[in-house]
Amino acid sequence: MYLSREEERILDGEYGEIKERMFRILVAIGDTFGADRMIKVTSTQISGVSYKSIGDFGLEFLEDIAGKVKVEVPSYLNPAGIDTRMWSKLGFPEDFARKQMRIIMAFKKMGVYPTLTCTPYLIGNLPRYGEHLAWAESSAVIFANSVIGARTNREGGISALASAICGVTPNYGLHIKENRKPEVIVEVKVKPSSISDLGLLGYLIGRIVRNKIPYLRGLRSIDTDGLKALGAGISATSSIAMYHIEGITPEYRDFGIEGLERIEIDEKIISDEMGKQSLEPDAVMIGCPHASIREIREVARLVRGRKLRKPLWVFTSRFTKKLSADLGYLKTITNAGGRVISDTCMVVSPIEELGFRIIGTNSGKALNYLPTLSKCEVVFGSLRELIEMIS
Ligand code: F3S
C-alpha cells in the first residue's frame, strides 16, 4: 500500500507508540483487503463500549492508552451497558456500573464524544453524500451507506478507534464506488405498514441474502425510522453493510441490474418464519436502533391515560430523551408506568441479570440478538400490539 511521508513517520514512531500501534492495525487491514492507500475520514463511530462486550481486558486496554493519545477526528460512542444516570434505579449491578463508567471515562480522556447512541445521524452527526467515515455499529453503517450515500466499511471497535486516533482508513470495500453495486434483486411482495414489519423484512432479507448487496423492489415511501429499522434487521442477520431501494435510496440508479439473481419475499416466507406466538412478555422493550423523537411520540400517544401491567422500556439517546422531556412525551410515558432510558439498550445492557426472560419487541435486530446475547425469548409484534399485551 502507498504510504505518504507523514504516514511513514507515524510508523517510525515519531507520533508516539500508541499511534504507531494503531496505524499498524490499519495498514494490516489495508494489506489484507488490497487497499491502495489511506483516505481521510470525517468522523468515526466506535463500538465495543459496553462492559458486557469488552470485559476487564477491554477496560484495562482502554485505560492503558487513554492518557497517552487523543482522537484526530470527531468520534462518537455506541451505547454502553448502563443508563449512566438511572442505573441504580433500574437495578443494574453496581460493580458492572462502576466498570462501565471507567470505560466511558477512558474514551472521554481520548477526546471521544460520549454520545452513547447507535443513531449518531439523529443527534447532530449527519454526514453528507460521498463522505468517508469509519463507523462500527452495523445499523449505523448500513444507514450511512444506503440512506445517506456516505461511505464506510463495517468497522470493528478496534479499527474504528484506530481510525479515530489516526484520522484515516484504508481505501477498500465500500469506500470504492464500484464495490457498492447491487448483487441480488429482492422482489418484495408484501406491503410493510409498520416499523416492526420493516424490521422483520430486513431480518429475513439478511438471513436469505447473507453477504450480497440487495436491490429491493416493490417498496414505497418509507420514512427515516422505517429505513433505520429495515437496515438494522438486514445487518443483524448478515454481513451486509449496504442496500439499495428502487425509487428511494440515493445510489439505486448508479448501476445496471440486468442479469442479477432474483429472489422473492412474500407473505408465506414471513408467516413460516414467525409461526404462532403464544408467549406473554415479561416486559416490552422498544428502541433498537435507538428511538427517534417520532417513535417516542408514537409510544406516548399509545400509552396516554393507560396504566401498564408490565415494564415498558424505551431506549434512546440522551439528547432525544431530553427533547422528549421538553415535549411532554416523557411524562406521559412515565405516568403510564413506562420508562425512557438513555445511553444503553436491551442488547448491550445486562438485562438477563435483572430477571427478564421473555421480551416483547418490534425490532428485527433485537429479534436476532436477544436470544443469544441476552438469553431472552422474544415476542415480536408491532408497537400497538405489544402495548396491548401489557395493558
Ligand atoms: Fe442500537 Fe443496541 Fe440495537 S446498539 S442497534 S439498540 S442492539
Side-chain angles (χ1 to χ4, degrees):
M1 182 183 352
Y2 165 80
L3 294 179
S4 67
R5 292 210 26 215
E6 183 68 5
E7 288 165 350
E8 297 282 5
R9 280 198 202 109
I10 299 175
L11 282 186
D12 288 342
E14 283 188 33
Y15 296 94
E17 186 208 335
I18 304 299
K19 193 159 176 176
E20 179 201 330
R21 271 163 54 192
M22 289 293 164
F23 197 70
R24 284 193 188 282
I25 291 172
L26 297 178
V27 171
I29 294 170
D31 284 342
T32 305
F33 291 100
D36 59 344
R37 64 196 159 95
M38 294 291 175
I39 47 173
K40 287 196 183 312
V41 292
T42 50
S43 71
T44 76
Q45 194 261 353
I46 301 169
S47 65
V49 180
S50 171
Y51 177 69
K52 178 173 166 177
S53 334
I54 66 171
D56 287 325
F57 179 79
L59 166 61
E60 281 161 27
F61 166 75
L62 290 168
E63 286 190 331
D64 180 41
I65 68 169
K68 302 174 187 159
V69 73
K70 293 268 185 227
V71 296
E72 278 207 0
V73 290
S75 296
Y76 302 80
L77 278 189
N78 217 30
I82 55 167
D83 181 313
T84 56
R85 291 168 192 169
M86 294 208 308
W87 62 266
S88 177
K89 218 187 255 180
L90 295 170
F92 287 118
E94 182 165 353
D95 183 53
F96 183 103
R98 302 244 169 264
K99 287 180 169 170
Q100 183 61 72
M101 296 305 283
R102 282 169 55 193
I103 291 170
I104 297 168
M105 273 309 296
F107 278 118
K108 278 169 79 172
K109 223 169 167 182
M110 286 186 264
V112 181
Y113 304 141
T115 41
L116 301 172
T117 182
C118 47
T119 56
Y121 49 87
L122 292 181
I123 59 151
N125 180 16
L126 180 66
R128 64 177 165 70
Y129 181 91
E131 232 174 85
H132 293 279
L133 320 167
W135 285 15
E137 157 54 36
S138 64
S139 67
V141 166
I142 200 167
F143 189 94
N145 280 316
S146 317
V147 181
I148 301 169
R151 299 186 183 189
T152 174
N153 288 318
R154 197 162 151 169
E155 302 294 342
I158 282 289
S159 63
L161 179 59
S163 284
I165 289 168
C166 302
V168 295
T169 192
N171 187 36
Y172 75 97
L174 293 175
H175 290 287
I176 297 169
K177 183 78 181 177
E178 176 65 10
N179 296 334
R180 301 168 69 83
K181 63 180 181 230
E183 298 167 293
V184 55
I185 297 173
V186 179
E187 305 277 4
V188 180
K189 300 291 185 192
V190 291
K191 299 262 170 282
S193 60
S194 63
I195 296 285
S196 57
D197 287 351
L198 285 157
L200 181 59
L201 178 65
Y203 170 94
L204 288 169
I205 290 172
R207 287 256 299 249
I208 295 167
V209 172
R210 309 302 300 178
N211 56 6
K212 293 181 181 161
I213 296 179
Y215 180 98
L216 312 187
R217 266 184 162 164
L219 291 170
R220 294 284 168 265
S221 62
I222 308 175
D223 67 12
T224 315
D225 295 328
L227 294 167
K228 166 166 84 72
L230 175 74
I234 295 175
S235 61
T237 50
S238 71
S239 57
I240 299 167
M242 176 164 194
Y243 62 84
H244 300 276
I245 306 179
E246 197 167 83
I248 295 183
T249 55
E251 293 175 76
Y252 84 92
R253 266 187 291 227
D254 295 0
F255 308 93
I257 54 167
E258 302 75 35
L260 290 183
E261 173 197 354
R262 275 164 205 267
I263 59 163
E264 273 191 14
I265 295 206
D266 56 18
E267 241 359 297
K268 181 166 183 324
I269 294 179
I270 292 182
S271 51
D272 284 354
E273 174 66 31
M274 294 315 289
K276 257 212 146 4
Q277 301 188 90
S278 51
L279 294 171
E280 190 181 321
D282 299 335
V284 166
M285 299 199 180
I286 303 297
C288 172
H290 273 173
S292 68
I293 192 66
R294 277 193 302 206
E295 290 174 282
I296 294 179
R297 182 183 65 174
E298 181 61 5
V299 175
R301 193 182 70 76
L302 290 170
V303 301
R304 183 164 293 120
R306 298 193 189 218
K307 282 286 170 222
L308 301 173
R309 291 183 296 114
K310 304 227 172 129
L312 166 67
W313 286 11
V314 182
F315 294 96
T316 190
S317 65
R318 66 176 67 173
F319 299 90
T320 308
K321 178 173 178 176
K322 170 78 173 64
L323 185 58
S324 72
D326 292 346
L327 296 172
Y329 305 147
L330 178 62
K331 191 156 194 288
T332 304
I333 294 169
T334 312
N335 284 347
R339 287 185 182 280
V340 178
I341 296 170
S342 66
D343 307 335
T344 186
C345 77
M346 69 280 257
V347 173
V348 299
S349 65
I351 58 162
E352 62 280 12
E353 292 184 35
L354 306 183
F356 295 117
R357 291 287 167 264
I358 306 171
I359 303 295
T361 188
N362 63 349
S363 159
K365 177 162 179 172
L367 174 65
N368 190 56
Y369 285 122
L370 280 173
T372 49
L373 298 181
S374 300
K375 308 280 176 288
C376 292
E377 289 188 74
V378 175
V379 176
F380 190 80
S382 69
L383 182 59
R384 178 184 292 277
E385 289 165 343
L386 294 168
I387 287 174
E388 286 301 331
M389 284 179 206
I390 57 167
S391 290

